[in-house]
Amino acid sequence: MKEKISMPKCFICMDEGFILYRKKVRELEGEYIAHCVCQAGEQYSYDGTRCEKKKSPYYIPSIVAELDHESIAAENLRNWIKQNKNKKGFLEATKQLGLEVPQNDKTL
C-alpha cells in the first residue's frame, strides 16, 4: 500500500521556519541561524535594534540575506520528489505546484 503524501508549504526551510548554516567570521567558524521569509519563519525573526525597551545589537538575519535560498529550495524540492514520487497523491500534489514530473525520470 502506498503511503500518503505530505507536502511542505515552504521548500526553502521545509516548514521549519529557519535554517542552520556554517559560516566563518574572522578566524572562527561557527553555526548560525537564519529565519525563513515564509509564515513559519516569522516566529524566528528578531532584530534587537528595533526593541523599544532595551535595544541590543543582536538579530537573526533572513535566509534571503545570508544564503542562496533559490538553490536551497530547488535542492529541497528535488529531494522531496525523490522521497515522495511513489506515494499516494504525488501527481495531484505536484500539479498543485504547477509541476509535471515524469514518472519514469531516472534523474530524480
Side-chain angles (χ1 to χ4, degrees):
M1 184 172 160
K2 290 187 176 183
E3 188 180 342
K4 188 155 168 86
I5 196 159
S6 173
M7 180 182 294
K9 292 178 183 174
C10 177
F11 280 98
I12 298 171
C13 69
M14 301 303 285
D15 296 338
E16 292 290 325
F18 64 91
I19 289 183
L20 296 175
Y21 64 100
R22 297 201 65 78
K23 177 175 152 180
K24 190 172 186 177
V25 177
R26 295 180 202 100
E27 290 126 30
L28 300 174
E29 184 176 328
E31 190 170 55
Y32 292 84
I33 185 172
H35 73 85
C36 194
V37 293
C38 69
Q39 186 176 6
E42 289 177 11
Q43 65 182 322
Y44 299 102
S45 176
Y46 172 77
D47 186 350
T49 63
R50 294 185 180 191
C51 292
E52 291 183 22
K53 290 185 180 181
K54 189 174 181 184
K55 294 192 183 301
S56 78
Y58 304 108
Y59 67 98
I60 299 174
S62 76
I63 288 172
V64 174
E66 292 295 313
L67 303 166
D68 182 0
H69 64 286
E70 291 175 347
S71 293
I72 292 169
E75 182 65 25
N76 285 341
L77 176 60
R78 275 191 292 279
N79 290 335
W80 180 85
I81 289 171
K82 284 181 190 177
Q83 294 170 357
N84 293 284
K85 64 183 177 181
N86 295 322
K87 293 181 181 176
K88 181 180 179 181
F90 174 76
L91 289 177
E92 294 80 17
T94 55
K95 283 180 185 176
Q96 287 178 354
L97 287 176
L99 299 174
E100 286 191 40
V101 180
Q103 286 291 348
N104 300 339
D105 192 341
K106 301 292 184 207
T107 62
L108 296 174

